[in-house]
Amino acid sequence: MALQELDELREEALRGLASAADAAAAEQWRLAFLGRSGKLTMELRALRDLPLEERRSVGAAANALKRELEGALEERQAVLQAVLRRGEAGVAAEAVDVTLPARALPRGHLHPMTLMRRSVERIFGAMGFAVVEGPEVEWEHYNFERLRIPKDHPARDMWDTLWIDYEREGERPLLLRTHTSPMQIRFMETHAPPIRVIVPGTCYRYEATDATHEWMLTQVEGLVIDEGITFGHLKGTLESFVHRLFGPNVETRFRCDYFPFVEPGAELAIRWRDGRWLEMLGAGMVHPEIIEAAGFDPDRYTGFAFGMGIERFAMLRYGIEDIRDFYQNDLRFLEQF
Ligand code: FA5
């Protein structure tokens, strides 16, 4: 056997080993080259038949090749082992552990204004008021005219209005209601006295915002119409409401105010934490012309109405300094309730 043949055998063997992809293939390779009847083993055995001189040189080279191939096999086996281990670790990392407890989902809760609205409804409910709702998109007719606020009346300046860009032959102008008072008229169109309702709902105003003014606010309207209703009933109802909401020690203040749909009119303020008075609501005795326009005899029926902004109640209840916090949807704020 010539040295050149040994070189060829070496190349063949190393190429074969490099393509052995797993432990079984490596073992196949070992048998093919180094096994009892492997190619190199056969060559080593054949050395016997060579003349002494050649036996020595070829024999040394063949033995060196044997050691090289054994070393290469060990290396290859180590590489295959490592690949195998890495694969197993990967599978383990991706495996689903069905015994793990489920990750808890954060539990939602009610918005502070929803909580506030429910408290108001509960208190008036206990006093015998029914809860009704009205449309947020309203005719100018109900929002203003029917409440004795005709087009050029200066009282319109009290309610900066968001108009709806909508015009159709013969139809009246539409707007986003600026207050819940139009429901006084709507309710009296379909119900006869005795009437005792509150109307919670969202109102909109084209208004610059600040710490106590939002362009979107929640009002609760109240309407009572019956025989013998006086301003005393109005005062007693609202004071007992405030005291049930904030406790018996809260200071209230009634002052004269003007709204075209009541006579006389008043505003109710509550003492704010720093001693300031915060206006809470407008109220008054339902104007006799409105009772008459609804088809009831104003000599027999009287009544009172009020309209409160309940964001301001929530500000007092929760100690919130800025009304704008309610509708920013900042979870750091909302999660405190
Ligand atoms: C009215 O809206 C009348 N409809 C109230 C009324 C009803 C009077 C029935 C008589 C009889 P006023 O514009 O003052 O009135 O608003 C009533 C309350 O809503 C205010 O006292 C205040 O608490 C709240 N409010 C008004 N504007 C805002 C605003 N921009 N942001 C937050 N709250 C407001």
Side-chain angles (χ1 to χ4, degrees):
M1 182 185 201
L3 286 173
Q4 197 197 335
E5 283 169 40
L6 273 185
D7 272 348
E8 283 165 11
L9 183 61
R10 178 176 177 273
E11 288 224 344
E12 185 196 344
L14 291 179
R15 228 181 300 121
L17 185 60
S19 62
D22 55 26
E27 177 59 12
Q28 280 292 319
W29 178 91
R30 192 189 65 78
L31 291 173
F33 291 94
L34 302 171
R36 211 157 358 119
S37 47
K39 285 183 183 172
L40 185 58
T41 314
M42 300 306 278
E43 295 297 346
L44 284 167
R45 217 170 278 155
L47 286 175
R48 273 182 297 198
D49 306 328
L50 292 179
L52 188 64
E53 271 307 296
E54 230 181 307
R55 201 193 301 169
R56 228 179 249 149
S57 61
V58 176
N63 275 311
L65 179 58
K66 188 179 180 210
R67 283 192 298 276
E68 183 183 351
L69 292 187
E70 282 167 350
L73 176 64
E74 258 174 53
E75 252 175 57
R76 185 69 194 156
Q77 282 168 334
V79 167
L80 292 173
Q81 270 291 322
V83 168
L84 192 66
R85 266 199 305 275
R86 218 178 305 131
E88 280 167 356
V91 169
E94 283 164 28
V96 175
D97 180 353
V98 293
T99 66
L100 270 182
R103 232 167 265 155
L105 290 174
R107 183 201 283 240
H109 53 85
L110 295 175
H111 189 278
M113 286 313 302
T114 306
L115 297 172
M116 191 65 234
R117 178 174 154 170
R118 289 190 179 177
S119 297
V120 173
E121 288 176 1
R122 222 175 0 253
I123 294 170
F124 281 109
M127 292 195 258
F129 284 75
V131 179
V132 298
E133 293 192 356
E136 290 176 22
V137 175
E138 183 57 281
W139 302 109
E140 176 188 33
H141 178 73
Y142 285 109
N143 197 83
F144 291 125
E145 262 92 5
R146 294 284 300 277
L147 289 165
R148 305 182 71 252
I149 316 168
K151 220 172 213 67
D152 298 314
H153 196 288
R156 284 229 181 175
D157 296 345
M158 289 160 55
W159 295 282
D160 288 314
T161 308
L162 290 157
W163 295 92
I164 297 206
D165 195 5
Y166 161 91
E167 262 179 54
R168 211 182 272 176
E169 254 325 278
E171 290 204 351
R172 300 167 292 189
L174 271 178
L175 46 75
L176 292 179
R177 67 176 172 195
T178 59
H179 51 179
T180 42
S181 297
M183 263 309 277
Q184 292 183 30
I185 309 297
R186 284 179 176 275
F187 196 79
M188 284 189 276
E189 280 181 348
T190 50
H191 297 77
I195 289 171
R196 200 162 15 164
V197 291
I198 57 165
V199 188
T202 310
C203 306
Y204 305 86
R205 295 188 185 188
Y206 184 58
E207 201 165 298
T209 63
D210 61 31
T212 54
H213 291 83
E214 255 292 8
W215 62 270
M216 180 179 93
L217 58 135
T218 313
Q219 282 195 343
V220 176
E221 191 81 7
L223 178 66
V224 172
I225 309 274
D226 204 348
E227 293 178 42
I229 299 292
T230 69
F231 200 91
H233 293 120
L234 162 61
K235 240 184 133 180
T237 302
L238 290 176
E239 270 177 354
S240 99
F241 163 73
V242 166
H243 290 148
R244 284 200 208 179
L245 193 59
F246 294 119
N249 300 323
V250 173
E251 269 185 275
T252 57
R253 182 186 72 184
F254 279 91
R255 290 206 303 194
C256 291
D257 201 352
Y258 170 71
F259 300 95
F261 37 95
V262 290
E263 179 59 37
E267 65 145 63
L268 171 67
I270 293 182
R271 180 87 80 167
W272 188 244
R273 284 186 305 171
D274 59 9
R276 264 182 309 143
W277 291 97
L278 186 65
E279 178 201 319
M280 285 292 158
L281 57 88
M285 299 306 288
V286 178
H287 200 289
E289 281 181 21
I290 287 192
I291 293 183
E292 190 164 15
F296 313 133
D297 177 2
D299 290 331
R300 185 173 164 202
Y301 292 107
T302 51
F304 65 83
F306 55 85
M308 53 180 72
I310 64 170
E311 277 82 6
R312 294 189 182 170
F313 289 150
M315 289 172 78
L316 279 180
R317 172 192 259 185
Y318 299 118
I320 293 162
E321 305 286 341
D322 196 320
I323 192 172
R324 290 166 292 195
D325 287 336
F326 286 119
Y327 303 118
Q328 311 255 308
N329 284 338
D330 186 334
L331 287 179
R332 289 169 301 180
F333 173 78
L334 293 176
E335 276 170 355
Q336 298 174 48
F337 298 93

